[in-house]
Amino acid sequence: MKQLLNLDTWARKEHFNFFRQFEEPFFGITAEIDCTVDFNRVKANGGSFFLSYLHKSLAAANEVTPFRYRINDGEVWEYDRVHASPTINRPDGTFGFAYMDFYEDAATFEANSKTEIERVRQSTGLVPAVSGENVIHYSSLPWINFTAISHARSFSFKDSCPKISFGKVRETGDRKVMPVSVHVHHALMDGFHVGQFLEGFQQRMDAEVV
């Protein structure tokens, strides 16, 4: 479900009209997330750390309204819920696109996502997910402790989906940290909203229980 945003009453109307004209309207922020609690909990239970932090980040994004905004034909639509479209690595070094529905329940999300991961790993080519625009584009680079990242973009394709990337988990003292990159459309949100997302994500990663 989605609803049309009334631009005339939107506090960011002028910001929207300004940034929507840019050839590159996306801006990016890279931050470090402390993943000690979640990493240790998941590993102790034999679960998937990737699916755990993917679910927590998706839950945090759904709580920040602008992450559910999308631009379509010059209008802004607010979706009730957004889902995940991550890249999935294959044993041969390639990757494919996947689509994962968001569920509040982490166990349900993990079970359904494992099926999707296996489907992509058994396929060839990119296999674009038919997922619409109410998704967040995710990627994971567990080999790289990056401090910044950029994305391949086709400027002729009008895209307003957020892009979130995760890097290598590394130890610093007795803590485990992971870089997270967030790229979003500046016509739809500002650094303040990215900060809200990162704060919500960190709180979930710090939670002792799912």
Side-chain angles (χ1 to χ4, degrees), residues 32-123:
E32 203 166 64
I33 292 293
D34 188 321
C35 55
T36 308
V37 174
D38 192 63
F39 183 91
N40 291 338
R41 179 188 59 78
V42 171
K43 293 304 180 182
N45 294 328
S48 166
F49 180 55
F50 167 68
L51 289 179
S52 180
Y53 68 64
L54 182 63
H55 179 261
K56 291 177 185 296
S57 70
L58 198 52
N62 269 285
E63 277 201 350
V64 182
T65 303
F67 275 79
R68 293 185 277 109
Y69 288 161
R70 298 293 182 271
I71 302 172
N72 193 328
D73 291 332
E75 298 178 319
V76 178
W77 293 83
E78 178 186 339
Y79 283 87
D80 293 341
R81 180 170 291 189
V82 292
H83 308 284
S85 181
T87 55
I88 301 299
N89 299 316
R90 300 192 182 100
D92 65 359
T94 65
F95 70 88
F97 295 117
Y99 172 76
M100 300 172 182
D101 281 317
F102 173 65
Y103 297 92
E104 294 285 351
D105 180 68
T108 302
F109 175 80
E110 181 169 343
N112 283 274
S113 296
K114 282 183 175 179
T115 300
E116 174 67 353
I117 288 174
E118 186 61 25
R119 182 192 68 79
V120 175
R121 285 181 174 165
Q122 294 300 317
S123 65

Side-chain angles (χ1 to χ4, degrees), residues 35-36 39 49 53 141-145 167-171 175-179:
C35 55
T36 308
F39 183 91
F49 180 55
Y53 68 64
L141 294 83
W143 326 275
I144 304 173
N145 177 36
K168 182 179 181 179
V169 175
R170 65 181 180 86
E171 294 189 1
R175 312 302 294 175
K176 289 181 172 62
V177 296
M178 175 177 67

Side-chain angles (χ1 to χ4, degrees), residues 5-20 25 27 65-66 69 71 76 184-193:
L5 194 69
N6 187 341
L7 297 180
D8 290 331
T9 59
W10 188 23
R12 294 192 73 263
K13 177 183 177 180
E14 290 188 18
H15 301 70
F16 172 75
N17 288 328
F18 179 72
F19 287 111
R20 65 182 289 206
F27 73 93
T65 303
Y69 288 161
I71 302 172
V76 178
V184 293
H185 200 298
H186 213 341
L188 298 179
M189 70 179 90
D190 307 307
F192 171 75
H193 305 103

